[in-house]
Amino acid sequence: MAGGLLLENSTKPRGNGNTTDESCRVILGINVPNIALYMLFIFFTLFLCNGMYTLLRPFSQPRFIPEFIVGFCLSNLPFVRRNISAPDILQTLKYIADFGMVCHMFVLGLEIDHKIFLNPPVRETKAACTGMLSTFILALIFTPFLHVVPHAASSTKFNLSLSIVLSGTASPLLTRLITDLKIGKSDIGRFVVSTGVISDLVSTLLLSLGFIIFNPTTGYELRDSITILKMISVLVIETVIAAQLSPLIMNWVNSQNPEGKPMKGSHLILSVAYVVSVCSCSSTLFSYNSILSAFLAGLFMPREGRISKMMISKVNYFLTTIFYPVLFVWVGVEADLTKFDGDHLGPWARLFFLFVIATVGKVAGTLVSGVMLGFHWPEAVAIGLLLNIKGHFHVYLAITAAENKITTTSTSMSILFAIFLTVIYTPLVVANIIDRARKRSPTQRMALQWHDPSTELRILLCLRGSQNLRSAINFIEISRGMPDPGISVYVTDMVELTDKIAATLVHGGDGAVAVMDAGVVEMREEVTRAVEGYVAAAEEGGGGVGVKRMVAVATMNNMHQDVCILAEDLMVSLIVMPFHKEEQAGDGRLGVGHSGFRHVNRKVLRHAPCSVGILVDRGLGSIANISRSTVSLNVAVIFIGGKDDREVLAYAGRMARHTGVKLTVIRFLLEANSENASTSARPGRPKVNTPEQEEEMRLDDECFTDFYDRHVARGRVAYMEKYLVNSGQTFATLRAMEGQYGLFIVGRGGRVNSVLTVGMNDWEECPELGPIGDILSASDFSVTASVLIVQQHSLRGELAGLDDEFSIM
């Protein structure tokens, strides 16, 4: 291979005369006035970079763009160039660029998990490899026609190297951009970041291999076999030390310096000295490139532990705040704008075609992988455009190629401008992704609060097995409401797809899937018989209940997708999921539960297209028959405030019409005389800090007033108020209700700065239940009270930048 052929070892002197002595005088600070002037220039550069970044922030441009513009333009000003183009200054800048790039590549390797070699992600690997391969082939075909190398003897090997560089991705810059543009939590954001890391890893490894075989400083001469073997041996030793010895040393240092205590200076010096010695081993002994050596050493060092995390954070801070702006100052000094030959067609043609080759190659590759992986073509194109991004390492390679006389300054500048173009359009790509996600987001609030009472209510009721059957039937009964328009419940069995289950799947002609496993068939038949028996009895009692059977067969990782797709296709307003813990031995106590279903519940809460309820069954299923003639169930609704609590009131309005349910609404209000309450506010109103809080409180008051007039004032629902001071009293009040109610219905959260729940999140056992639901579901609260926790659906399309998780692929 010819990878790494743009790199040199950065050891040869520049200029004429005794430049080493002059550089030492500058570095050692003997020429103090000049050093002060240059430091002032660096500070001015940092100020300009930050200022331009602030100006470009509305356009979502990453720091790379203002740093490129400032460094390049500032260094090409005539009066600046005259003062910093002296050989000693150029050599000092070169030393800084080399040192900073060593740090950059070391951290890049350290942030990549070397376990990716053992278990690479299949989808991301396919996308990365197809994108790289198509770009590599396209570049290999067309770059010879661009005449980027003036010397024909080395043109083939350089074009091979350039093709590898064009097929790579700047994963650190891509990750930072995806995070800043707020799509890092989305499926496409996570996919692009992982794919970019693999692409960056493969291309850099190819460069590292190429440097072993060819010597770029001597016109790409093939190294002799002895030198190649020596380099490989040293690199293997360096890798083994990094992978085997490093964990022992790092773990010892971490154990001697636990979190929360200052790091001992001697241990910190020992760690840094060890890392430097490992990174410089191959470059010192056999002139292997120090930058690639640092990358390989960082790649196989442990990422866990206090030392590694500290190195990543501190080095990244140094790179971001100081080095990158200085790097582009060096780039601007080396890339003399007067040598671009802009009056000729050649440089512009090279600039245009290099950009087109890289872009078309990446997009073509991701389109092919998108077909294999089932992506929509707009998302596949967006992935290709984002993976085309190049960064600081590619800039360094372009300038180093001109320094080594491999390319002309004009050609290197064409490569630089092409790199600039691969970054500047990325915010537009992300904006398009967000627009498409917003269009695909629901345009209607699928929630109980917004449900039209004249239309049938649809609920998706999920079961893990026959153990959830009795509680599910009782839930249907108390939720049925008025016979007209009635309720339609889709009772869905969630079947985990294992190898045993997969062998029994039968695919019908209409695309339906049937499970023929004996245990699953028996369980489904038992549920069906019980549900049909309930529906028949409901018809005799006035009807209004329709039940349909569904099944979701998927792995634990994908079960939430099947549930959400069913909910979206059926246009339900509420999904009810069983709690992952089950009642043990009929005594009301909950066991450990199934962690896989806990993750399913969490994912459904994040991705559901409607409201979601989690039902903790701790006695609800033991009620044999909830009669309409006598009270069979005491239910308490806790209302503190927020959109989830408003959704709870909407559901409580349906239960209020069931004569077998005695419903009590308990409103928690802030004590007017407490220090947290506003002196000007009326009793029960906390201090208002923002217009958003005022709007939320207004909505709470309107919703509760409407509920009070409809149900409490007409005697259907009992009502109590609890005036509390803080979350401690909230906890005590909830504990005092133990044994009084058979079912609690609470909102998951969604409250605006509620003083009555602040701090409760710190000791939640199950955060997916919210602070109130977690207290009521705790094993030490009750063994007879079931809990229904409700989360109201919100339109993701309304969120600024779609900062929350969303799915578009």
Side-chain angles (χ1 to χ4, degrees):
M1 295 299 295
L5 308 183
L6 306 182
L7 293 165
E8 62 167 339
N9 232 15
S10 307
T11 57
K12 66 180 183 178
R14 300 171 52 96
N16 299 321
N18 192 3
T19 57
T20 303
D21 292 341
E22 295 175 6
S23 298
C24 289
R25 285 197 298 270
V26 174
I27 295 172
L28 294 175
I30 296 174
N31 196 343
V32 177
N34 286 347
I35 288 291
L37 184 62
Y38 298 142
M39 290 300 297
L40 184 62
F41 173 74
I42 295 300
F43 288 139
F44 181 67
T45 302
L46 299 178
F47 171 76
L48 288 181
C49 288
N50 289 325
M52 181 166 284
Y53 175 67
T54 303
L55 293 176
L56 294 178
R57 185 175 295 176
F59 304 99
S60 302
Q61 292 295 337
R63 283 189 176 273
F64 181 91
I65 296 300
E67 289 168 354
F68 188 104
I69 294 174
V70 170
F72 191 84
C73 295
L74 197 61
S75 300
N76 275 280
L77 294 175
F79 68 91
V80 174
R81 178 171 289 278
R82 283 196 302 269
N83 287 280
I84 63 175
S85 59
D88 54 353
I89 302 302
L90 290 177
Q91 187 63 36
T92 302
L93 287 174
K94 174 62 176 173
Y95 288 149
I96 295 174
D98 290 342
F99 171 75
M101 196 51 59
V102 167
C103 296
H104 172 87
M105 295 303 289
F106 171 72
V107 170
L108 172 61
L110 193 59
E111 289 181 322
I112 297 176
D113 189 357
H114 59 266
K115 296 178 182 177
I116 197 173
F117 295 110
L118 303 176
N119 188 23
V122 178
R123 298 199 315 162
E124 289 83 347
T125 303
K126 287 182 179 179
C129 291
T130 53
M132 290 188 66
L133 185 61
S134 59
T135 307
F136 179 79
I137 294 174
L138 202 63
L140 209 57
I141 294 173
F142 288 102
T143 49
F145 299 102
L146 300 180
H147 303 292
V148 292
V149 181
H151 309 292
S154 58
S155 62
T156 302
K157 299 168 185 176
F158 179 80
N159 289 332
L160 183 62
S161 176
L162 182 60
S163 300
I164 295 174
V165 173
L166 290 176
S167 63
T169 302
S171 61
L173 183 58
L174 177 62
T175 302
R176 194 176 304 114
L177 189 143
I178 291 294
T179 304
D180 291 344
L181 296 181
K182 301 181 180 180
I183 64 168
K185 296 180 181 179
S186 66
D187 56 350
I188 191 171
R190 292 191 296 267
F191 182 85
V192 167
V193 169
S194 299
T195 307
V197 168
I198 295 174
S199 179
D200 202 0
L201 175 62
V202 173
S203 62
T204 309
L205 288 177
L206 290 176
L207 291 174
S208 303
L209 178 62
F211 192 89
I212 296 175
I213 301 174
F214 299 99
N215 188 353
T217 60
T218 58
Y220 300 107
E221 289 183 358
L222 182 66
R223 301 184 193 271
D224 60 88
S225 57
I226 301 299
T227 303
I228 292 176
L229 288 175
K230 287 180 178 178
M231 279 191 174
I232 292 176
S233 300
V234 174
L235 285 175
V236 170
I237 294 173
E238 179 182 278
T239 301
V240 171
I241 292 174
Q244 300 299 324
L245 183 59
S246 297
L248 299 178
I249 296 177
M250 297 299 187
N251 290 338
W252 179 80
V253 174
N254 291 329
S255 65
Q256 297 297 314
N257 299 271
E259 293 286 350
K261 293 186 177 180
M263 177 72 69
K264 296 179 182 178
S266 58
H267 292 170
L268 183 60
I269 293 173
L270 172 65
S271 304
V272 173
Y274 170 75
V275 170
V276 170
S277 62
V278 173
C279 293
S280 60
C281 178
S282 59
S283 59
T284 303
L285 294 178
F286 288 104
S287 299
Y288 189 75
N289 185 264
S290 57
I291 296 174
L292 296 178
S293 176
F295 171 77
L296 294 175
L299 183 63
F300 291 97
M301 281 190 177
R303 302 167 61 228
E304 298 78 15
R306 186 179 181 185
I307 286 291
S308 297
K309 293 177 181 177
M310 179 181 293
M311 287 183 179
I312 291 175
S313 62
K314 299 300 182 183
V315 174
N316 274 329
Y317 180 78
F318 160 73
L319 294 174
T320 304
T321 56
I322 298 177
F323 170 67
Y324 291 144
V326 176
L327 172 68
F328 284 107
V329 170
W330 170 70
V331 169
V333 173
E334 295 290 348
D336 190 350
L337 196 57
T338 59
K339 298 180 181 179
F340 179 62
D341 297 332
D343 53 341
H344 296 87
L345 183 60
W348 295 107
R350 283 190 284 270
L351 165 62
F352 174 75
F353 282 105
L354 285 172
F355 174 74
V356 170
I357 289 170
T359 306
V360 172
K362 283 291 186 183
V363 171
T366 51
L367 280 173
V368 172
S369 63
V371 172
M372 293 189 296
L373 299 172
F375 297 162
H376 301 291
W377 73 265
E379 281 70 54
V381 172
I383 291 170
L385 292 174
L386 291 174
L387 291 177
N388 187 40
I389 190 172
K390 306 296 184 288
H392 302 90
F393 183 52
H394 303 93
V395 169
Y396 178 85
L397 294 178
I399 295 300
T400 306
E403 277 193 326
N404 289 341
K405 308 301 181 184
I406 299 173
T407 64
T408 63
T409 302
S410 176
T411 300
S412 289
M413 293 176 69
S414 297
I415 298 174
L416 283 177
F417 294 147
I419 293 172
F420 180 83
L421 292 179
T422 63
V423 180
I424 198 169
Y425 68 75
T426 48
L428 299 177
V429 177
V430 175
N432 180 262
I433 291 173
I434 292 175
D435 287 341
R436 285 179 52 77
R438 281 180 174 151
K439 290 177 182 179
R440 294 176 62 178
S441 295
T443 56
Q444 178 183 357
R445 284 189 176 96
M446 300 302 294
L448 299 174
Q449 187 180 359
W450 315 111
H451 177 256
D452 185 357
S454 64
T455 60
E456 179 185 62
L457 175 64
R458 298 184 178 187
I459 296 177
L460 184 68
L461 182 57
C462 297
L463 309 180
R464 290 169 51 190
S466 56
Q467 68 270 24
N468 305 133
L469 180 56
R470 291 306 309 170
S471 61
I473 290 177
N474 286 335
F475 175 80
I476 297 172
E477 173 61 27
I478 63 177
S479 307
R480 57 192 291 186
M482 298 297 292
D484 186 22
I487 182 175
S488 181
V489 182
Y490 299 88
V491 179
T492 304
D493 300 311
M494 296 187 295
V495 179
E496 181 180 3
L497 183 60
T498 61
D499 293 338
K500 178 185 176 183
I501 298 296
T504 65
L505 295 181
V506 176
H507 297 271
D510 57 351
V513 178
V515 183
M516 305 308 295
D517 179 78
V520 174
V521 170
E522 181 181 356
M523 179 271 293
R524 298 205 71 218
E525 288 179 350
E526 180 184 355
V527 173
T528 301
R529 287 194 300 269
V531 168
E532 288 177 349
Y534 164 73
V535 172
E539 289 296 328
E540 296 178 0
V545 180
V547 178
K548 298 180 182 179
R549 297 284 284 118
M550 313 293 291
V551 64
V553 184
T555 62
M556 286 292 103
N557 287 334
N558 298 321
M559 182 68 73
H560 72 285
Q561 295 180 356
D562 283 29
V563 172
C564 293
I565 290 172
L566 275 175
E568 189 170 4
D569 292 343
L570 298 173
M571 299 183 66
V572 302
S573 297
L574 177 67
I575 301 173
V576 179
M577 304 292 294
F579 191 42
H580 70 280
K581 296 182 180 181
E582 298 175 359
E583 187 178 359
Q584 301 293 308
D587 61 357
R589 299 190 181 277
L590 301 178
V592 177
H594 194 305
S595 61
F597 280 105
R598 181 181 187 183
H599 291 299
V600 172
N601 287 351
R602 288 178 169 181
K603 292 177 181 179
V604 170
L605 287 168
R606 287 197 297 266
H607 300 287
C610 60
S611 294
V612 180
I614 296 180
L615 180 59
V616 181
D617 179 20
R618 202 164 44 187
L620 181 63
S622 62
I623 303 176
N625 180 29
I626 298 180
S627 172
R628 280 188 167 266
S629 57
T630 58
V631 174
S632 305
L633 179 64
N634 289 323
V635 180
V637 171
I638 307 297
F639 185 89
I640 301 177
K643 61 186 183 67
D644 293 349
D645 285 13
R646 296 195 292 270
E647 186 76 352
V648 166
L649 281 187
Y651 176 71
R654 300 189 64 85
M655 284 198 306
R657 299 179 180 275
H658 196 295
T659 54
V661 174
K662 182 180 180 181
L663 181 64
T664 303
V665 174
I666 307 171
R667 188 174 188 183
F668 287 9
L669 297 168
L670 187 65
E671 176 64 49
N673 296 326
S674 71
E675 61 181 11
N676 297 308
S678 171
T679 55
S680 60
R682 67 177 182 272
R685 298 270 296 188
K687 185 177 180 180
V688 177
N689 296 320
T690 66
E692 291 78 9
Q693 294 177 21
E694 178 66 30
E695 176 65 16
E696 280 293 307
M697 293 175 185
R698 184 188 65 82
L699 293 174
D700 289 341
D701 289 343
E702 289 182 357
C703 181
F704 198 87
T705 300
D706 181 69
F707 179 86
Y708 189 95
D709 293 341
R710 288 174 178 269
H711 304 289
V712 178
R714 297 182 182 183
R716 297 195 188 105
V717 177
Y719 174 59
M720 288 193 299
E721 291 181 351
K722 299 286 186 179
Y723 288 91
L724 311 173
V725 174
N726 51 38
S727 57
Q729 287 194 3
T730 302
F731 178 79
T733 303
L734 292 173
R735 295 303 296 262
M737 296 179 187
E738 181 179 354
Q740 299 181 31
Y741 302 97
L743 175 64
F744 287 91
I745 307 178
V746 299
R748 178 173 181 249
R751 304 175 183 94
V752 178
N753 192 29
S754 177
V755 177
L756 301 182
T757 58
V758 65
M760 288 185 173
N761 296 335
D762 298 339
W763 27 275
E764 285 178 339
E765 181 182 355
C766 298
E768 66 270 22
L769 303 181
I772 305 299
D774 184 73
I775 292 172
L776 297 175
S777 305
S779 57
D780 61 345
F781 176 75
S782 174
V783 295
T784 59
S786 300
V787 187
L788 176 64
I789 299 95
V790 180
Q791 173 186 275
Q792 187 180 74
H793 174 241
S794 60
L795 285 177
R796 289 190 176 87
E798 293 181 345
L799 300 177
L802 290 179
D803 199 11
D804 283 355
E805 294 191 14
F806 66 92
S807 178
I808 190 174
M809 294 171 63

